[in-house]
């Protein structure tokens, strides 16, 4: 029974690694066939650079996901990187602007950072803190009542 958790994590990592390798191979073959063979008239040196960049990003996402496969919630950022890389690669198959998808990451970060600072949530928190004990109990009772399952009679 010793190291049972480590064995389960290793098994989950091996399973996750096999799935990711298959998915990455399929996506890379699709990119190479569509972009480099079917659209070979518009292929430039930059397309090979994009392919290499996406391969490096896939490698980072792969290593991170396999290393954190046994722990729930630990590989979320690596999974996000993997999904965004896959979407960017599929968009790059048909357009030169697929890497613009990576601009969403800093845009979302700025929205999350500055949107939270400028929202009216702090004012709502202050209003909630000002409620007296009776109002809090009444609100809690309403929430509890709303959360209950309600049955209807058939007539």
């Amino acid at each position: 029974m010793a190291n049972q958790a480590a064995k389960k994590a290793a098994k989950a990592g091996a399973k996750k690694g096999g799935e990711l390798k298959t998915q990455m191979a399929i996506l890379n073959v699709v990119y190479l066939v569509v972009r480099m063979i079917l659209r070979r008239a518009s292929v430039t040196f930059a397309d090979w650079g994009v392919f290499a960049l996406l391969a490096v990003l896939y490698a980072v996402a792969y290593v991170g996901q396999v290393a954190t496969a046994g722990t729930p919630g630990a590989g979320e950022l690596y999974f996000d990187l993997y999904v965004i890389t896959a979407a960017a690669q599929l968009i790059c198959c048909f357009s030169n602007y697929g890497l613009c998808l990576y601009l969403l990451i800093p845009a979302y970060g700025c929205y999350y950072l500055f949107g939270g600072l400028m929202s009216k949530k702090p004012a709502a928190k202050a209003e909630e803190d000002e409620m007296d004990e009776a109002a809090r109990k009444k609100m809690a009772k309403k929430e509890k009542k709303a959360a209950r399952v309600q049955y209807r009679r058939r007539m």
Side-chain angles (χ1 to χ4, degrees):
M1 294 305 267
N3 291 330
Q4 190 69 15
K7 290 178 185 177
K8 285 184 180 179
K11 191 180 227 183
K15 182 180 178 187
K16 185 78 167 176
E19 292 171 1
L20 290 176
K21 282 182 184 177
T22 304
Q23 292 171 359
M24 287 187 295
I26 290 170
L27 289 169
N28 284 327
V29 167
V30 167
Y31 181 81
L32 288 173
V33 167
V34 172
R35 185 69 179 177
M36 304 297 181
I37 296 174
L38 297 178
R39 300 183 68 205
R40 65 180 166 263
S42 65
V43 174
T44 63
F45 184 71
D47 292 322
W48 289 102
V50 167
F51 182 70
L53 173 70
L54 292 172
V56 168
L57 291 172
Y58 272 135
V60 169
Y62 173 77
V63 170
Q65 281 190 349
V66 170
T68 60
T71 55
E76 291 176 3
L77 293 176
Y78 293 113
F79 179 74
D80 292 344
L81 177 65
Y82 177 77
V83 169
I84 290 173
T85 303
Q89 188 171 27
L90 287 175
I91 293 171
C92 281
C93 286
F94 305 104
S95 170
N96 292 332
Y97 301 106
L99 290 180
C100 292
L101 188 62
Y102 282 107
L103 295 177
L104 290 178
I105 297 168
Y108 176 73
C110 290
Y111 169 76
Y112 185 76
L113 180 66
F114 296 117
L117 294 175
M118 296 187 179
S119 70
K120 296 183 180 182
K121 289 181 182 180
K125 276 271 195 202
E127 181 181 314
E128 187 176 291
D129 291 339
E130 291 175 4
M131 288 193 311
D132 60 349
E133 189 65 29
R136 275 194 211 135
K137 285 183 180 180
K138 190 174 183 180
M139 185 179 288
K141 187 176 179 181
K142 283 184 181 180
E143 289 174 358
K144 188 176 178 182
K145 187 176 181 181
R148 279 190 282 172
V149 178
Q150 296 183 3
Y151 298 99
R152 294 183 181 172
R153 291 186 191 178
R154 290 188 179 184
M155 294 195 187

